[in-house]
């Protein structure tokens, strides 16, 4: 695995001041290192110039350099307050570096930016993920990340934890002097926070021998802070002044501001022999001048507050208020990017959720529209089929009516013309033929009317417990003669004589009539017909089996459709309307039952009706109150 921080970039962390002053036509790597150094020292305009120079050669940017340039750009955007752009650019950088060895470096850089503007929680997040992904042998990276975390822990009031993060005991094991110095300075910071000033000073003094100018500024500023804490005003003053002057000369705005602040404190503290609020204010204001271009830092806030305190001390309340106001605005500005980011993320999340919801609703709507459309298409197809059948049937009916009418007219004409010459037997034959034909016509017309009434829902049903065996017996008795005429034997197969169903007895009787008359109609002479009653769970099945010609699967499928008549050549001798079974089906459905047929050609047919079982009524009424008679409307198909 590659090091988290490449050597050339390491130089930017180790020797930012030296690197920044290096001239010459630099290759890409050195340009990036110099830009990083400029950023590290808050010299934004230098950093921007260098970044522009890097971006000017996109062809030289491989994936790795592209990530680094993006990271650099993001931090520059952040520095000048373009937070939206900064977060977006950094996201781009992170996407490009994720899962790659560059990730810890990018995380470290972004965390430093966040930490400097007091976004501690986010900074810690990035630093921890960077720590998880680096090699323990990468000493510079390890030191930078650990000190980054420790610094925040000190600020948040956990100096002891900071020392643990730094592995204080193992600092001397580091070979890299920069790493060692950096860790020692961070440890000194923690000791200072724990009020162990001597330990802090000892550590800082130990660092002096091997350090670069960036670290030496950091070290001296901390040392000055330590001296102030123990009221060592001379030492504090001389160090702070020296650092301030040096940094002002070198154009290092952040360190210069920090040094001026510390120097000003030598005049601000009442316990100091140099106590002079006007002088303190002067130094603080100079500090403010340095920090103004990098106003988005913690340090600026501290300076505003100090100036406000000083003005109050000398009774300039107006001015004090003015700086306090500036301090508050600064704090607000400092926190605005975090708040903005949160708001933005929440907005995006809400927008995303809304989008998902809308998409799901649209999809659902589309599905329901599609299924409605499918249903509508099916209905249209069904209606068209029915209409075509009805038109065809009307043709058949007209044809069927025309022949008997012709027969009736012929018989009538014969009687009219030759009536007086005909024998009694011949006369009877003609009259009976007229009667039979008219009977058949009546049956057809009645069926049509019944069917029309059923279709428009005009028939009302009275549902009540019906004794199946008794009802079946009535139907069989009614057809006894017709069966005898064809030498058919009707055999009863009742599994139980006392079964009740919930039905309209009159309509159920009509249905059984229809099935039995069909069985008789389509049975050859001398066969058997079996009438059966049996229980099927909660349903009672009434079936009629014949030994007739049977029906093909296709015929069975069309059986219950209105006007359907099977092969006329088989049943041609038998007059039929083709309405019976479809009327049966509608009645049975209205009584919450089902009707069906089991048959195959040459093997006879079984037609059955299944209806809900009813509890037998007691002598003085119903056994259970839940079984009163109720009415139902025969429904449309
Ligand atoms: P139809 O008045 O023509 O009998 P149905 O609706 O009662 O009208 O019967 C429809 C058709 O089903 C009949 O025309 C006949 O072809 C066939 N069918 C009905 N019952 C039987 C049966 N028991 N055996 C053979 N075919 C039958």
């Amino acid at each position: 695995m590659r090091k988290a921080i490449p050597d050339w970039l390491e130089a930017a962390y180790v020797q930012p001041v030296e690197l920044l002053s290096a001239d010459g036509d630099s290759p890409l790597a050195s340009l990036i290192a110099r830009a990083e150094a400029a950023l590290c020292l808050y010299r934004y305009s230098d950093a921007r110039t260098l970044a522009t120079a890097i971006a000017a050669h996109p062809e030289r940017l491989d994936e790795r350099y592209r990530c680094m340039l993006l990271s650099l750009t993001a931090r520059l955007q952040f520095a000048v307050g373009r937070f939206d752009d900064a977060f977006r650019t950094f996201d781009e950088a992170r996407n490009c570096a994720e899962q790659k060895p560059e990730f810890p470096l990018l995380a470290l850089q972004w965390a430093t930016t966040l930490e400097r503007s007091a976004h501690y929680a986010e900074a810690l997040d990035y630093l921890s993920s960077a720590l998880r992904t680096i090699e323990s042998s990468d000493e510079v990276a390890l030191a930078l990340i650990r000190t980054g975390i420790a610094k925040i822990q000190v600020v948040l009031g956990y100096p002891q934890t900071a020392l643990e993060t730094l592995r204080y005991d193992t600092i001397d094991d580091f070979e890299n002097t920069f790493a060692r110095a950096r860790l020692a300075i961070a440890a000194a910071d923690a000791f200072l926070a724990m009020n162990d000033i001597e330990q802090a000073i000892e550590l800082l003094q130990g660092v002096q021998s091997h350090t670069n100018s960036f670290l030496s500024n950091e070290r001296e500023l901390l040392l000055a802070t330590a001296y102030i804490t123990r009221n060592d005003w001379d030492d504090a003053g001389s160090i702070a002044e020296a650092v301030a002057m040096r940094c002002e000369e070198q154009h290092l705005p952040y360190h210069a501001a920090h040094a001026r602040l510390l120097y000003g404190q030598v005049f601000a503290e009442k316990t100091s022999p140099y106590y002079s609020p006007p002088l303190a204010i002067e130094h603080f204001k100079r500090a403010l001048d340095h920090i103004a271009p990098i106003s988005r830092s913690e340090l600026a806030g501290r300076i505003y507050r100090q100036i406000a305190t000083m003005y109050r001390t000398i009774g300039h309340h107006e001015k004090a208020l003015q700086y306090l106001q500036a301090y508050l605005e600064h704090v607000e500005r400092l926190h605005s990017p975090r708040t903005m980011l949160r708001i933005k993320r929440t907005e995006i999340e809400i927008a995303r959720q809304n989008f998902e919801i809308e998409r799901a609703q649209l999809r659902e709507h589309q599905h329901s529209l599609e299924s409605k459309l499918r249903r509508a298409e099916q209905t249209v197809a069904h209606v068209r089929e029915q209409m075509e059948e009805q038109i065809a049937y009307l043709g058949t009916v007209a044809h069927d009516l025309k022949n008997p009418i012709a027969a009736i007219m012929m018989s009538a004409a014969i009687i009219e013309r030759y009536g007086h010459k005909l024998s009694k037997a011949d006369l009877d034959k003609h009259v009976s033929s007229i009667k039979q034909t008219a009977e058949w016509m009546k049956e057809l017309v009645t069926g049509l009317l019944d069917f029309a009434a059923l279709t428009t829902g005009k028939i009302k049903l009275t549902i009540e417990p019906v004794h199946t065996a008794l009802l079946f017996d009535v139907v069989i008795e009614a057809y006894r003669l017709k069966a005898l005429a064809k030498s058919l034997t009707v055999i009863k197969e009742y599994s139980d004589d006392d079964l009740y169903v919930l039905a309209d007895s009159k309509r159920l009787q009509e249905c059984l009539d229809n099935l039995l008359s069909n069985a008789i109609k389509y049975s050859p002479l001398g066969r058997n017909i079996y009438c059966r009653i049996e229980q099927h769970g909660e349903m009672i099945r009434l079936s009629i089996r014949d030994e007739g010609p049977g029906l093909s699967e296709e015929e069975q499928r069309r059986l219950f459709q209105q006007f359907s008549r099977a092969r006329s050549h088989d049943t041609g001798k038998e007059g039929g309307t083709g309405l019976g079974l479809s009327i049966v089906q509608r009645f049975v459905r209205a009584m919450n039952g089902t009707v069906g047929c089991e048959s195959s050609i040459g093997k006879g047919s079984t037609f059955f009706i299944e209806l809900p079982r009813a509890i037998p009524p007691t002598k003085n009424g119903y056994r259970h109150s839940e079984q009163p008679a109720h009415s139902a409307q025969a429904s449309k198909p």
Side-chain angles (χ1 to χ4, degrees):
M1 179 146 171
R2 236 182 309 167
K3 276 172 69 179
I5 298 185
D7 292 338
W8 50 269
L9 203 51
E10 182 178 322
Y13 290 102
V14 180
Q15 301 170 305
V17 186
E18 290 77 352
L19 228 129
L20 206 56
S21 51
D23 301 317
D25 190 11
S26 316
L28 206 53
S30 147
L31 274 182
I32 293 188
R34 283 172 60 198
E36 286 293 339
L39 208 58
C40 175
L41 296 167
Y42 294 91
R43 282 164 61 164
Y44 295 142
S45 66
D46 291 341
R48 206 166 308 119
T49 313
L50 289 158
T52 315
I54 300 162
H57 296 284
E59 74 285 352
R60 284 159 62 190
L61 293 177
D62 63 6
E63 184 82 336
R64 188 157 158 243
Y65 284 128
R66 210 173 67 81
C67 295
M68 285 172 186
L69 180 61
L70 280 170
S71 160
L72 191 71
T73 312
R75 285 172 290 144
L76 276 170
Q77 287 167 332
F78 193 95
V80 296
R82 285 168 52 196
F83 304 119
D84 265 359
D85 295 336
F87 283 116
R88 210 174 304 125
T89 313
F90 184 73
D91 276 346
E92 227 180 295
R94 194 180 44 198
N95 286 343
C96 139
E98 214 133 40
Q99 313 293 343
K100 295 207 191 88
E102 279 70 43
F103 176 74
L105 170 66
L106 253 68
L108 170 67
Q109 292 172 333
W110 189 242
T112 310
T113 306
L114 293 171
E115 182 268 318
R116 282 180 179 182
S117 58
H119 293 71
Y120 300 124
E122 288 91 338
L124 274 180
D125 240 22
Y126 277 107
L127 288 167
S128 318
S129 48
L131 194 60
R132 277 196 298 275
T133 41
I134 58 158
E135 303 260 301
S136 56
S137 58
D138 195 345
E139 288 195 341
V140 174
L142 205 58
L144 286 168
I145 295 169
R146 280 190 193 164
T147 53
I149 297 175
K151 202 168 167 186
I152 295 172
Q153 287 167 333
V154 170
V155 172
L156 297 180
Y158 301 101
Q160 191 64 51
T161 319
L163 287 178
E164 283 163 26
T165 303
L166 294 168
R167 312 257 169 93
Y168 176 61
D169 303 334
T170 66
I171 291 179
D172 285 338
D173 300 344
F174 277 68
E175 278 174 27
N176 184 297
T177 50
F178 167 80
R180 217 160 51 219
R182 185 112 198 188
L183 289 165
I185 292 172
D189 193 20
F191 280 119
L192 211 55
M194 289 158 69
N195 239 345
D196 192 344
I197 300 159
E198 297 317 312
Q199 181 73 27
I201 291 176
E202 196 189 315
L203 258 174
L204 290 168
Q205 282 170 343
V207 173
Q208 199 172 17
S209 52
H210 45 252
T211 186
N212 67 43
S213 47
F214 175 80
L215 273 192
S216 99
N217 289 342
E218 294 265 299
R219 185 192 75 90
E220 282 168 41
L221 289 169
L222 207 53
L223 208 51
T225 313
Y227 288 139
I228 289 173
T229 317
R230 72 172 189 193
N231 289 333
D232 194 341
W233 300 109
D234 285 321
D235 283 343
S238 61
I239 294 180
E241 190 186 17
V243 177
M245 280 162 62
R246 191 173 69 229
C247 290
E248 278 159 5
E249 205 175 297
Q250 290 179 351
H251 305 293
L252 301 177
Y254 186 84
H255 285 158
H258 196 177
R260 281 280 158 214
L261 172 68
L262 293 177
Y263 194 38
Q265 255 169 323
V266 175
F267 304 99
E269 296 296 326
K270 283 210 173 94
T271 48
S272 162
Y274 306 101
Y275 177 65
S276 161
L279 266 182
I281 289 174
E282 193 192 315
H283 288 294
F284 289 153
K285 283 192 172 171
R286 282 176 74 174
L288 210 51
D289 288 343
H290 293 308
I291 206 87
I294 38 173
S295 57
R296 225 160 280 277
S297 73
E298 262 286 78
L299 193 61
R302 269 161 66 191
I303 299 169
Y304 281 121
R305 223 178 40 218
Q306 288 278 14
I307 298 177
T309 312
M310 276 298 99
Y311 274 125
R312 206 183 49 217
T313 315
I314 57 173
H316 282 39
H317 294 295
E318 195 98 331
K319 287 254 177 208
L321 210 64
Q322 189 186 324
Y323 277 91
L324 211 58
Q325 185 69 32
Y327 166 70
L328 289 176
E329 280 168 16
H330 173 80
V331 171
E332 214 165 86
R333 260 207 317 275
L334 207 58
H335 289 91
S336 63
R338 176 165 41 185
T339 318
M340 264 181 48
L341 178 69
R342 288 225 178 100
I343 292 172
K344 216 160 193 73
R345 285 204 179 132
T346 318
E347 275 174 6
I348 291 172
E349 182 53 24
I350 290 171
R352 198 185 59 75
Q353 282 174 2
N354 282 347
F355 174 70
E356 289 295 329
I357 291 169
E358 271 170 30
R359 201 163 61 170
Q361 282 173 344
L362 276 178
R363 223 181 274 143
E364 211 171 280
H365 192 59
Q366 190 187 345
H367 281 320
S368 92
L369 281 180
E370 277 172 1
S371 65
K372 268 187 196 157
L373 185 68
R374 263 200 304 278
R375 274 203 302 277
E377 280 171 353
Q378 279 169 2
T379 312
V380 168
H382 183 66
V383 168
R384 181 177 297 146
E385 209 174 292
Q386 277 187 342
M387 267 176 57
E388 281 168 3
E389 269 177 12
Q390 284 176 14
I391 289 167
Y393 181 72
L394 278 180
T396 318
V397 169
H399 188 257
D400 282 2
L401 284 174
K402 207 174 154 193
N403 289 343
I405 288 170
I408 289 173
M409 284 172 73
M410 208 170 82
S411 293
I414 290 170
I415 294 168
E416 187 185 45
R417 196 173 298 173
Y418 308 108
H420 55 284
K421 290 186 198 165
L422 287 176
S423 67
K424 168 91 171 79
D426 280 345
L427 210 57
D428 283 351
K429 212 174 89 191
H430 284 296
V431 171
S432 135
S433 153
I434 289 173
K435 270 172 76 184
Q436 235 177 29
T437 313
E439 191 65 40
W440 181 85
M441 287 168 77
K442 188 183 137 204
E443 193 189 318
L444 177 61
V445 173
T446 311
L448 281 172
L449 289 174
D450 254 5
F451 187 79
L454 260 172
T455 308
T456 50
K458 281 189 186 136
I459 290 183
K460 284 242 162 89
L461 302 176
T462 307
I463 308 289
E464 58 194 348
V466 175
H467 193 282
T468 50
L470 284 179
L471 189 78
F472 227 155
D473 284 351
V474 170
V475 174
I476 293 166
E477 182 53 31
Y479 282 89
R480 201 168 57 86
L481 284 178
K482 281 198 175 175
L484 263 179
K486 288 182 82 174
S487 307
L488 301 171
T489 315
V490 178
I491 301 164
K492 294 181 195 172
E493 297 181 325
Y494 302 167
S495 70
D496 185 336
D497 279 349
D498 207 21
L499 291 174
Y500 283 78
V501 288
L502 275 176
D504 178 311
S505 70
K506 187 165 171 275
R507 299 304 175 185
L508 180 56
Q509 185 179 340
E510 275 175 41
C511 293
L512 291 171
D513 264 1
N514 201 296
L515 297 186
L516 186 56
S517 87
N518 275 351
I520 293 170
K521 210 194 286 181
Y522 300 113
S523 285
L525 301 181
R527 301 293 170 88
N528 292 337
I529 292 175
Y530 303 88
C531 295
R532 178 179 286 214
I533 300 173
E534 59 197 326
Q535 189 165 342
H536 274 230
E538 282 308 296
M539 306 295 274
I540 304 295
R541 179 185 277 220
L542 308 170
S543 58
I544 295 170
R545 178 159 71 87
D546 63 51
E547 295 170 343
L551 292 150
S552 72
E553 278 185 20
E554 171 61 19
E555 284 164 347
Q556 287 176 50
R557 203 178 57 75
R558 296 175 54 83
L559 214 46
F560 297 98
Q561 291 171 9
Q562 61 229 42
F563 315 119
S564 81
R565 297 182 68 181
R567 300 151 290 153
S568 57
H569 52 274
D570 282 358
T571 58
K573 293 187 292 220
E574 310 295 345
T577 61
L579 279 173
L581 286 177
S582 74
I583 292 172
V584 168
Q585 189 183 50
R586 283 180 195 219
F587 276 142
V588 172
R589 276 191 187 161
M591 296 186 285
N592 302 315
T594 50
V595 57
C597 166
E598 287 159 359
S599 177
S600 54
I601 295 221
K603 300 227 166 101
S605 320
T606 306
F607 283 82
F608 62 86
I609 291 171
E610 273 186 4
L611 286 164
R613 191 186 164 191
I615 294 161
T618 54
K619 284 212 173 72
N620 31 354
Y622 293 106
R623 244 175 234 170
H624 295 287
S625 57
E626 69 257 29
Q627 272 192 4
H630 65 272
S631 63
Q633 192 109 11
S635 61
K636 293 185 182 188

